[in-house]
Amino acid sequence: MKISPFFVGLFATTLWVALFRVVRRCIASRTGQADRRDETFEHHFSGTVSQLGATSFEDVPKSAQTIVVRVDSVLKKPSPVSLKRGDNVTVEVKDPSGFQEGTHANILHRWLDFGSGVAVKELAHEIRPNGGESAKAASADEKAYRQEQNDQELQDRLNSADFVVIGRVTEVHRWHAPKSATPHRVTEHDPDWHEAVLEIKSVLKGGKVKGNKMVVRFPGRNDVAWAQSPKFEKNQRGIFCLNRDRVSGVPTAKLGGNQVNAYTCLGHGAALPMAEEAHVRSLLKSQ
């Protein structure tokens, strides 16, 4: 009986995938770690087909049922893997005849593999036209997902801050570190340290502030290493996420003739406008 080359190829591919998964499970069992890639996670994403009969990474064999889809938006946030717009995903589809290059589709899937790339198995799909209500829904979902990511970033910053305060900058001046300073890191990107005196109006997180004033060090340069860090100006008001100064090499500062703890306000989102007060308070309550 003559055996079709198609079935030979299909059998070989199936055997290869099965062997790969057995080896992966053995490695996981030896290390005492569960292989989370074998769990079933059902999620949605919206994307555009870029290649047919192809894969986005080498760990998955190509077949007539594999396509590469570029992620346009994530409709349901995945737990183990964080997909984002622009990612290329290998999708094992049920019927490849339903897809063409340039096809826009919402895809319900479960995870197959995410070692050096992401591969999923289609459970169902919906062809999405360019524009229209489906595109608007995808855009709204993407916006909601992006807001969720921003909230998580802010939540992490609030959690790690020693103090979260509402205040006003009353003074700004350049600060020169003494020769005895031992900075946390030595870099060719000179921060050009400045100090701001912050008059505290309210403490949202942290203990009582003696004299209701704090000294905050910040980089004066817009160098690539410090571009994300806030720059302070006199009379600036806002919400500030502060940490004890562990960067400049000198943990204290002079204020009114006294030595006090010095603080830093570094990184994107460390200083927020007053319009964010209600949002910040709600996130702090959830800690």
Side-chain angles (χ1 to χ4, degrees), residues 140-249:
D141 286 325
E142 182 180 2
K143 183 178 180 180
Y145 176 66
R146 189 163 54 248
Q147 182 61 52
E148 183 178 354
Q149 293 295 95
N150 291 340
D151 283 352
Q152 185 59 57
E153 181 183 343
L154 177 55
Q155 183 76 73
D156 292 342
R157 181 167 291 283
L158 295 173
N159 290 343
S160 63
D162 295 324
F163 278 86
V164 179
V165 302
I166 295 175
R168 179 177 70 91
V169 177
T170 60
E171 181 185 341
V172 175
H173 58 264
R174 178 174 274 122
W175 177 75
H176 298 285
K179 292 182 179 180
S180 59
T182 54
H184 175 68
R185 59 175 179 168
V186 178
T187 173
E188 68 275 17
H189 303 282
D190 178 21
D192 184 22
W193 288 113
H194 284 61
E195 286 184 342
V197 177
L198 198 60
E199 184 180 61
I200 309 303
K201 300 298 182 183
S202 178
V203 177
L204 305 183
K205 177 185 176 181
K208 182 177 177 59
V209 178
K210 186 177 180 180
N212 289 327
K213 288 188 177 182
M214 303 175 79
V215 175
V216 181
R217 291 194 180 121
F218 66 94
R221 294 193 187 280
N222 284 316
D223 181 89
V224 62
W226 310 103
Q228 296 288 330
S229 296
K231 309 297 186 284
F232 291 85
E233 296 179 356
K234 189 174 180 179
N235 293 321
Q236 177 181 344
R237 299 173 186 269
I239 304 166
F240 306 96
C241 300
L242 307 177
N243 289 92
R244 288 286 300 273
D245 183 359
R246 302 177 181 88
V247 182
S248 72

Side-chain angles (χ1 to χ4, degrees), residues 27-245:
I27 294 173
S29 64
R30 289 184 180 181
T31 58
Q33 299 176 349
D35 190 344
R36 63 182 183 177
R37 284 176 291 194
D38 290 326
E39 300 174 14
T40 299
F41 297 96
E42 296 183 3
H43 294 288
H44 281 87
F45 75 88
S46 178
T48 303
V49 177
S50 60
Q51 296 180 70
L52 302 174
T55 59
S56 56
F57 62 110
E58 294 181 354
D59 290 350
V60 178
K62 300 177 183 179
S63 76
Q65 287 184 276
T66 58
I67 64 175
V68 178
V69 180
R70 186 185 68 251
V71 176
D72 295 329
S73 62
V74 178
L75 306 181
K76 183 177 180 183
K77 182 182 178 182
S79 302
V81 178
S82 181
L83 286 179
K84 61 183 182 300
R85 183 184 178 91
D87 283 347
N88 289 315
V89 178
T90 297
V91 183
E92 182 184 301
V93 297
K94 295 179 179 180
D95 181 9
S97 66
F99 298 89
Q100 300 294 328
E101 289 188 6
T103 297
H104 300 274
N106 298 332
I107 298 174
L108 174 67
H109 64 88
R110 68 177 177 84
W111 301 111
L112 284 180
D113 202 325
F114 44 92
S116 58
V118 176
V120 303
K121 183 179 181 66
E122 177 213 348
L123 298 177
H125 76 273
E126 174 191 16
I127 299 300
R128 176 170 57 87
N130 289 321
E133 294 303 316
S134 295
K136 290 180 181 178
S139 178
D141 286 325
E142 182 180 2
K143 183 178 180 180
Y145 176 66
R146 189 163 54 248
Q147 182 61 52
E148 183 178 354
Q149 293 295 95
N150 291 340
D151 283 352
Q152 185 59 57
E153 181 183 343
L154 177 55
Q155 183 76 73
D156 292 342
R157 181 167 291 283
L158 295 173
N159 290 343
S160 63
D162 295 324
F163 278 86
V164 179
V165 302
I166 295 175
R168 179 177 70 91
V169 177
T170 60
E171 181 185 341
V172 175
H173 58 264
R174 178 174 274 122
W175 177 75
H176 298 285
K179 292 182 179 180
S180 59
T182 54
H184 175 68
R185 59 175 179 168
V186 178
T187 173
E188 68 275 17
H189 303 282
D190 178 21
D192 184 22
W193 288 113
H194 284 61
E195 286 184 342
V197 177
L198 198 60
E199 184 180 61
I200 309 303
K201 300 298 182 183
S202 178
V203 177
L204 305 183
K205 177 185 176 181
K208 182 177 177 59
V209 178
K210 186 177 180 180
N212 289 327
K213 288 188 177 182
M214 303 175 79
V215 175
V216 181
R217 291 194 180 121
F218 66 94
R221 294 193 187 280
N222 284 316
D223 181 89
V224 62
W226 310 103
Q228 296 288 330
S229 296
K231 309 297 186 284
F232 291 85
E233 296 179 356
K234 189 174 180 179
N235 293 321
Q236 177 181 344
R237 299 173 186 269
I239 304 166
F240 306 96
C241 300
L242 307 177
N243 289 92
R244 288 286 300 273
D245 183 359

